[in-house]
Amino acid sequence: MNKKVMDRYMRLPMPCNKVLATYCWIDGSGINMRCKDRILNCTPYSADAAPGWAFDGSSTGQATTANSDTSLKPCAVYKDPFRLEPHVIVLAEVYMGDGSPAKTNHRKFCNDLCEFHKAEEPWFGLEQEYTMLDVDGWGLGWPKGGGFPAVNYEFSYCGVGAKYIAGRDVAEAHTKACLYAGCDFEGTNAEVMFACWEWQIGTTIGIKAADDMWMSRYIMSRVAEDYGVVITYHPKPMGPKHPGVGMHHNFSTKRMRSDGGYAFIEECIKRLEKNHMKHMKNYQHDEQSNRMRLSGKFETAPFDKFSWGIANRKASIRLGRDIKAKGKGFMEDRRPAGDCDPYLVCGLLMDTCLGSAGG
Ligand code: ADP
Ligand code: MN
Ligand code: MN
Ligand code: MN
Ligand code: MN
């Protein structure tokens, strides 16, 4: 599609009482998103102001055909970086006909914990790694016919130059679009594997971190569409010989950030160790592929074995180098796969470290 022609239509002024709203949500796969558009009479500046909606859940793997009406409950509103103001993108949660959250709606679990532990002020910083693929499914800029890029990994991480990286335009466009939308977008860098990149959301209080991560995933799909690039969050997209793709979750609470917080961090690490397998069951889209990633190689700790360490990138949980000197700080959970659901991971971190909502 020719973007120059498209621009003619994008510049058409809209009637002043018409606002385009894209509603987007997590589908039945738990990793892909869907969206549809509607016209509103005024800009909803908050989720409460955006009307609820419904869709055919039987076409998204979320309901049966005989009982297909599935509802969308707005949870966050962003400025639309593709149509510009006053148009919006509405992030929505999915609920079933009987009012229960859909199977892949883990936002309620996470938000209940955020509300319950509000006084603890949970902060999150999420590092989303991802891989750019050509439309044929092979790595962007990787030699056609199954070959590997002729570049050593140590040159691609934060790399510069066409020999070392591919797809910078996508990362750059995505950065601007996320900032325009209102995400707490924090930064981006080229990753160890050729055509693999990372962006960070944070440091953000409560549910907004995971909301912004999902919104920035949606925006990434749209930007990549424009460039004819396919994005995958698969934890081991190019097979066992190449680095994996994760989403490190950095987490702290008021207690951890306050003087003497190190003792509480140690306490939390003990709880995380006890609950290791419970977390591992929920840290990815598909267990087998995260097992491939968490092989003990390429800066990972083995899937089945919990470990922690200071400045250790081969540990399940890493603490920063200065944490002992300062006596406070935050922890980095390195276990979640690139295709995890941050609502689940953030939720479990609060549940294990701070206690269940209501209990
Ligand atoms: P690295 O790649 O070395 O792990 P990044 O800069 O990619 O480092 O990520 C560090 C993350 O830590 C950021 O997402 C940031 O928001 C997060 N972070 C920093 N301080 C805190 C804190 N006190 N609580 C929670 N997260 C934090
Ligand atoms: Mn229809
Ligand atoms: Mn990082
Ligand atoms: Mn990284
Ligand atoms: Mn990290």
Side-chain angles (χ1 to χ4, degrees), residues 127-129 157 189-192 197-198 200 244 246 248 299 313 332 334:
E127 308 170 53
Q128 173 75 75
E129 294 179 340
Y157 171 73
N189 60 269
E191 263 304 334
V192 178
W197 292 77
E198 167 178 319
Q200 300 101 28
H248 298 162
E299 303 190 344
R313 285 172 198 269
E332 178 190 45
R334 301 175 61 81

Side-chain angles (χ1 to χ4, degrees), residues 63-304:
T64 59
T65 319
N67 189 11
S68 64
D69 287 13
T70 309
S71 44
L72 290 172
K73 183 180 170 221
C75 55
V77 178
Y78 297 83
K79 288 205 280 183
D80 184 338
F82 307 104
R83 296 178 175 131
L84 312 193
E85 276 185 288
H87 311 298
V88 293
I89 308 179
V90 176
L91 184 67
E93 279 184 84
V94 178
Y95 284 88
M96 307 307 293
D98 65 3
S100 62
K103 268 205 193 81
T104 54
N105 175 2
H106 302 294
R107 187 183 188 275
K108 190 177 158 20
F109 166 69
C110 189
N111 196 43
D112 286 352
L113 283 151
C114 286
E115 288 298 317
F116 190 72
H117 296 296
K118 211 174 197 153
E120 265 296 338
E121 293 171 18
W123 289 3
F124 297 99
L126 313 179
E127 308 170 53
Q128 173 75 75
E129 294 179 340
Y130 62 104
T131 308
M132 298 185 195
L133 306 176
D134 214 334
V135 280
D136 62 10
W138 192 237
L140 186 73
W142 285 52
K144 296 296 176 193
F148 300 148
V151 52
N152 199 315
Y153 291 132
E154 60 200 88
F155 296 111
S156 284
Y157 171 73
C158 300
V160 188
K163 186 174 172 190
Y164 306 116
I165 61 102
R168 189 184 302 279
D169 284 6
V170 175
E172 185 76 15
H174 178 246
T175 299
K176 291 284 187 78
C178 287
L179 287 169
Y180 180 89
C183 295
D184 283 342
F185 193 95
E186 199 183 8
T188 178
N189 60 269
E191 263 304 334
V192 178
M193 187 170 75
F194 194 78
C196 184
W197 292 77
E198 167 178 319
W199 80 82
Q200 300 101 28
I201 296 288
T203 309
T204 301
I205 188 162
I207 196 75
K208 185 168 162 59
D211 279 349
D212 284 8
M213 179 49 74
W214 277 108
M215 179 48 52
S216 59
R217 277 177 168 177
Y218 170 80
I219 291 171
M220 178 50 89
S221 307
R222 291 287 310 272
V223 168
E225 226 178 72
D226 279 346
Y227 285 98
V229 166
V230 173
I231 302 297
T232 179
Y233 301 108
H234 191 285
K236 207 71 174 169
M238 307 311 276
K241 287 194 188 127
H242 299 280
V245 170
M247 195 204 287
H248 298 162
H249 278 56
N250 300 274
F251 171 54
S252 68
T253 65
K254 205 164 144 184
R255 248 176 104 182
M256 296 180 195
R257 296 186 296 268
S258 307
D259 290 344
Y262 185 70
F264 181 55
I265 292 175
E266 278 186 319
E267 211 178 289
C268 290
I269 287 173
K270 279 193 195 119
R271 287 181 209 159
L272 287 166
E273 179 163 26
K274 264 195 208 119
N275 289 280
H276 179 62
M277 283 322 283
K278 177 178 164 194
H279 282 245
M280 292 320 298
K281 290 288 167 200
N282 292 287
Y283 270 21
Q284 63 272 315
H285 182 59
D286 161 59
E287 185 176 319
Q288 231 24 61
S289 39
N290 202 23
R291 278 184 176 278
M292 253 205 288
R293 165 182 166 255
L294 298 178
S295 60
K297 286 184 204 147
F298 297 111
E299 303 190 344
T300 66
F303 189 96
D304 294 300

Side-chain angles (χ1 to χ4, degrees), residues 13-36:
M14 290 292 105
C16 64
N17 60 339
K18 300 291 179 197
V19 170
L20 285 77
T22 298
Y23 278 57
C24 69
W25 68 94
I26 302 160
D27 76 4
S29 72
I31 178 66
N32 293 324
M33 299 180 84
R34 308 285 178 116
C35 71
K36 60 174 186 164

Side-chain angles (χ1 to χ4, degrees), residues 330-342:
F330 65 99
M331 57 169 85
E332 178 190 45
D333 189 344
R334 301 175 61 81
R335 299 170 293 175
D339 59 3
C340 72
D341 183 340

